[in-house]
Amino acid sequence: MDIIAKLRDVSLDELHPNERLKVESHYLYGTLEESLADRATGAVNEADTQLTKFHGFYQQDDRDVRDDRRHRKLEPLYSFMVRLRLPGGRVSPEQWLTLDDNARRYANGTLRITTRQTFQYHGVFKENLRGHLQALDKSMMDTIAACGDVNRNVICTANPHRSAVHRQIYDLAHEISTRLLPSTRAYHEIFLGEERVAGGPQETDDEVEPLYTRHYLPRKFKVALAIPPENDVDVFAHDVGFIADVQAGELKGFNVCIGGGMGMTHGETATFPRLSDIVGYCTPDRAAAVSEAIMLVQRDNGNRYDRKQARLKYTVEALGVEGFRERVEEYLGESLAPPIELPLTHNGDRLGWYQGEDDLWHYGLFVQNGRLADVDGGPQLLSGMREIAKAHDGDIVLTTNQNLIITQVPEARREAIDTLLADYAMTFETTPLRRHAMACVAFPTCGLAMAESERYLPSLIDRLEAIMQDVGLGDDAIVVRMTGCPNGCARPYLAEIGFVGKTLGRYNLYLGGGFAGERLNKLYRENIDEATILEELTPLIQRYAAEREAGEAFGDFVVRAGVIAPTLAGREFHTH
C-alpha cells in the first residue's frame, strides 16, 4: 500500500490531532529550539510536549509539590523523564560511570531500570537537557525513539555473555533497533549541536523517513526476543515477539508472535490488554525483515482516528490474525513457515552467581522496583554500583524485571565483587515473592498516575510476605505487579496478582495470570483499599497452601478452584 497516497485522501482534520502535529512538525523539529531557549518557563510549548517523546523524554512535574506551588502562584515544578535507547540493556563500566555522573549532575540523584531493559532519569530540568544528552552521546548512548509513535527499545532475554545463542539474540536486538530507527536528524541538530543542512528537509520530502514517512506510526511499537524456557521479557505482551528455537546449542529460527499490548482505559471495555498470537516461524536471518514488515502493516492499517484504538493489537483484532499475517507476508514477499512447539516455563530472573558457557561468572543483583539509589541506613545501590564499575572489566546488563547483572567475572575477581556488594549493603535478603514483584514509577512524577505504585508496593509486599510465611509458603513465588494507572507499564495484567491504581490508596485487584506470562488475569475486586486487599487475599493464599496440587502456581490454582474465570483472549478480559 502507498500510505502517502492513502493519507493524502483524508483530511488531517478528520484524524486524531496528533496526526496533524506529526505531519506539521517538520520531521520532529517542531518549535523545540524555541522552547528550549525560553527561560521564562520550565516547560516546553504544548505541541512540543508530544514531539519530545520521539526524542526520548517526557515533560512531567513534581506532583508532591503541585498544590503548594499553585497556592504560591508558581507554575508546576516542570522537569523531564529521560529514557535511553539501549537495545538488549548492555553497558560497559565506562558507560555506567557516565550514567551515574548524569544522575548526580543533571537528574534527581537516582537511576531507574525500566521494564523495557533500559534506564530512565527523573527530575531533569529543561536547562540541563542538552548537557545530559550530549554527555550520553560522548559515551555512545542516546535516547532516540525511546518514546513516541515509533519502534521503542528492543528487549531480549538478558545477558549476551551467558552463551553464544544469547549473544546472537542480543546482536539481533541491535539489528532490529537500527533497522527501525527514525532517519530524521532533528535529535542530532537540536540537542547535540550538529550543523543543520541548508534548508533542512522539506515537508513533502518523504524520503527523509523512508520507513515512517512524515506520518510516523499510529502509536508506539514494541519488539521482544525470548530464549526458552525463560520468558523474562514477557514475550506475548508486545506488538512483536520472537521465541527462539535453540537445538543443541544452535539458533535455528523463531516463532513469530503479533498483537500483544498491555494498556487499557478504566471503564472503557473497547480497550483491553491482549497477548500476542503465534503466527508463524522464520529463520534468524529474516527476523529483522519480519519486524519491519509487521511494523509497515501497522503503519498502513493502524487506527489514526482514535488513539485509544491505535495500538497494533487493535489492528490485529480488526483485520483478524490471519488477515494481518497475510498482509505481513505480502510486505515480506514470502510466507512464514508453520510455528513449532517452544515451551516457556517462567518469567523471572537468575539472581546470585552463575556461570556462562565460557566459565566466567555472572552475578544477578536484585534491585527493588528498579530504583538505584542510596538509602539512609540501608542499601547504597547507586554508590555501590559506581564502585563496582570502577573495579570491573566486564559489562553490566539490565533485565526487563528491573534487575541487573554484573557479567564476565573471572573466578579470581569474585571475592572483590562480593566484598563491594557487602560493603554497600547491596545483597539484603529477599523472598521469592519480593523478587517476583514489579512496579511502575507512578507518583510523584508520572502525570498519568492515579495511585501510588513504586513507593507503595514494598510495604504491601511486607504484609503479603507475612501471610505467606504464616501458611508455610515463605519459599514460594507468586508474581505480583502494580501500576498507578491502567496503562500497564509494569505488565500487571500478566501477574498472578495484579494491582492497578484507581485513585489514591485504592486499586483494582486482578487474579489468575500465568506464572510464565502465558495467560492474562481478570478483575476480581474493584476500587479497594489495603485493608480490603488483605481481607481478600489472606483466605485465598490460605486455600492455596492447603489445596494446591504439586507444582501448581497460584494463578493456575485460582483458575482451577473456580475463584476466577480464565481470560483466554484479550477481548474477553472484561467478561466474567
Side-chain angles (χ1 to χ4, degrees):
M1 295 183 187
D2 184 348
I3 181 178
I4 304 308
K6 178 180 177 182
L7 288 177
R8 282 179 180 158
D9 289 339
V10 179
S11 168
L12 288 174
D13 292 334
E14 297 179 33
L15 303 178
H16 189 277
N18 280 36
E19 295 301 313
R20 175 183 292 278
L21 186 152
K22 286 180 281 189
V23 168
E24 296 180 350
S25 72
H26 201 58
Y27 295 101
L28 309 182
Y29 285 83
T31 59
L32 277 166
E33 288 187 301
E34 294 86 338
S35 285
L36 291 176
D38 183 1
R39 297 303 185 206
T41 175
V44 297
N45 295 336
E46 184 175 355
D48 290 336
T49 62
Q50 296 301 315
L51 298 181
T52 62
K53 298 176 183 179
F54 291 80
H55 302 302
F57 43 94
Y58 282 72
Q59 180 174 293
Q60 301 177 331
D61 73 281
D62 188 336
R63 296 175 66 177
D64 284 348
V65 300
R66 186 184 286 176
D67 288 343
D68 176 66
R69 291 180 69 85
R70 184 185 299 118
H71 292 148
R72 294 162 56 198
K73 300 189 178 349
L74 297 172
E75 74 171 8
L77 185 59
Y78 291 115
S79 65
F80 292 84
M81 180 278 288
V82 178
R83 183 181 296 152
L84 272 68
R85 181 178 68 95
L86 202 66
R90 167 179 168 256
V91 296
S92 69
E94 294 77 19
Q95 288 175 319
W96 186 280
L97 293 175
T98 295
L99 294 166
D100 180 277
D101 287 341
N102 275 20
R104 299 168 191 267
R105 182 176 181 183
Y106 297 121
N108 68 353
T110 72
L111 279 167
R112 192 173 196 276
I113 304 169
T114 79
T115 57
R116 289 207 65 77
Q117 206 171 17
T118 187
F119 280 117
Q120 63 187 40
Y121 292 87
H122 297 102
V124 180
F125 294 119
K126 186 169 75 172
E127 60 267 26
N128 288 330
L129 269 172
R130 278 199 175 101
H132 184 46
L133 299 179
Q134 289 170 11
L136 293 173
D137 181 67
K138 288 177 182 177
S139 290
M140 306 297 290
M141 295 180 286
D142 63 63
T143 68
I144 301 170
C147 319
D149 297 346
V150 286
N151 177 58
R152 302 284 187 90
N153 195 53
V154 180
I155 63 177
C156 63
T157 292
N159 194 359
H161 304 295
R162 189 166 141 193
S163 74
V165 168
H166 282 75
R167 181 68 195 211
Q168 283 181 272
I169 299 297
Y170 170 84
D171 289 342
L172 181 55
H174 270 258
E175 181 184 347
I176 293 170
S177 179
T178 300
R179 184 167 183 148
L180 303 186
L181 199 63
S183 298
T184 175
R185 302 299 295 173
Y187 177 92
H188 302 82
E189 294 175 2
I190 296 171
F191 303 108
L192 303 184
E194 292 188 9
E195 186 175 354
R196 182 168 298 187
V197 177
Q202 299 302 307
E203 296 258 341
T204 57
D205 183 11
D206 289 305
E207 292 77 28
V208 171
E209 290 284 14
L211 283 182
Y212 288 104
T213 79
R214 59 192 176 134
H215 299 270
Y216 293 89
L217 298 181
R219 285 297 295 268
K220 58 189 173 184
F221 184 82
K222 298 178 177 181
V223 181
L225 301 96
I227 304 175
E230 297 175 45
N231 188 22
D232 54 332
V233 298
D234 281 328
V235 69
F236 299 115
H238 311 283
D239 299 89
V240 183
F242 293 96
I243 305 173
D245 173 21
V246 181
Q247 300 178 28
E250 183 179 347
L251 179 63
K252 297 292 188 180
F254 297 95
N255 277 352
V256 180
C257 313
I258 58 168
M262 288 287 99
M264 67 162 195
T265 302
H266 283 315
E268 298 187 18
T269 57
T271 67
F272 46 82
R274 187 184 191 279
L275 296 189
S276 59
D277 295 281
I278 300 175
V279 297
Y281 181 98
C282 72
T283 54
D285 62 302
R286 299 300 291 155
V290 170
S291 297
E292 179 183 306
I294 295 169
M295 191 181 82
L296 295 183
V297 173
Q298 168 63 357
R299 181 196 68 182
D300 295 354
N301 294 275
N303 189 325
R304 293 180 183 266
Y305 299 87
D306 180 359
R307 281 182 70 82
K308 291 182 179 180
Q309 293 290 312
R311 285 294 301 275
L312 183 144
K313 61 183 176 180
Y314 299 117
T315 311
V316 172
E317 289 288 324
L319 297 177
V321 175
E322 289 304 307
F324 196 102
R325 180 185 55 77
E326 289 170 1
R327 284 170 170 79
V328 170
E329 292 174 338
E330 289 176 12
Y331 280 78
L332 193 60
E334 62 190 76
S335 297
L336 296 170
I340 64 174
E341 188 73 19
L342 294 171
L344 299 164
T345 60
H346 66 92
N347 60 5
D349 286 340
R350 283 195 177 193
L351 299 177
W353 287 109
Y354 61 90
Q355 278 183 292
E357 281 184 354
D358 56 6
D359 293 330
L360 292 176
W361 289 89
H362 312 281
Y363 187 87
L365 178 67
F366 173 67
V367 182
Q368 185 160 247
N369 298 327
R371 181 70 66 180
L372 290 152
D374 291 343
V375 179
D376 291 340
Q380 306 290 297
L381 290 176
L382 191 70
S383 294
M385 282 306 303
R386 181 179 184 86
E387 294 308 309
I388 287 174
K390 290 178 181 178
H392 182 45
D393 293 328
D395 290 324
I396 300 166
V397 179
L398 311 183
T399 82
T400 59
N401 289 308
Q402 303 175 301
N403 300 313
L404 61 83
I405 308 166
I406 304 161
T407 74
Q408 305 160 284
V409 180
E411 178 69 44
R413 294 289 299 157
R414 277 186 58 179
E415 184 177 352
I417 297 296
D418 279 331
T419 298
L420 288 169
L421 291 169
D423 287 348
Y424 289 88
M426 301 169 71
T427 57
F428 50 91
E429 188 173 344
T430 58
T431 63
L433 183 73
R434 193 174 299 272
R435 293 195 295 271
H436 283 77
M438 196 156 62
C440 71
V441 173
F443 286 100
T445 51
C446 180
L448 300 175
M450 302 172 180
E452 293 281 2
S453 184
E454 179 188 331
R455 298 194 298 194
Y456 169 55
L457 183 59
S459 65
L460 181 58
I461 293 294
D462 288 343
R463 291 158 177 78
L464 294 178
E465 282 176 332
I467 299 169
M468 296 279 284
Q469 192 68 40
D470 285 345
V471 296
L473 296 177
D475 294 328
D476 289 77
I478 297 176
V479 177
V480 180
R481 295 179 181 171
M482 175 179 282
T483 57
C485 83
N487 281 348
C489 291
R491 303 190 287 274
Y493 310 113
L494 290 175
E496 296 179 283
I497 300 175
F499 301 100
V500 176
K502 286 278 286 187
T503 188
L504 283 175
R506 305 184 78 88
Y507 300 83
N508 284 357
L509 169 61
Y510 296 84
L511 297 176
F515 185 73
E518 79 288 4
R519 183 179 61 244
L520 292 169
N521 52 29
K522 192 176 289 291
L523 181 64
Y524 182 67
R525 293 290 183 268
E526 188 172 6
N527 198 28
I528 58 177
D529 59 12
E530 181 180 282
T532 310
I533 288 170
L534 298 177
E535 288 174 6
E536 294 289 349
L537 289 180
T538 298
L540 289 178
I541 293 172
Q542 290 170 340
R543 280 190 63 188
Y544 174 54
E547 301 173 20
R548 65 176 175 164
E549 296 177 351
E552 187 175 33
F554 179 80
D556 296 334
F557 167 75
V558 293
V559 169
R560 179 181 63 81
V563 174
I564 197 82
T567 299
L568 303 178
R571 71 187 76 89
E572 300 174 6
F573 182 74
H574 298 291
T575 61
H576 297 286

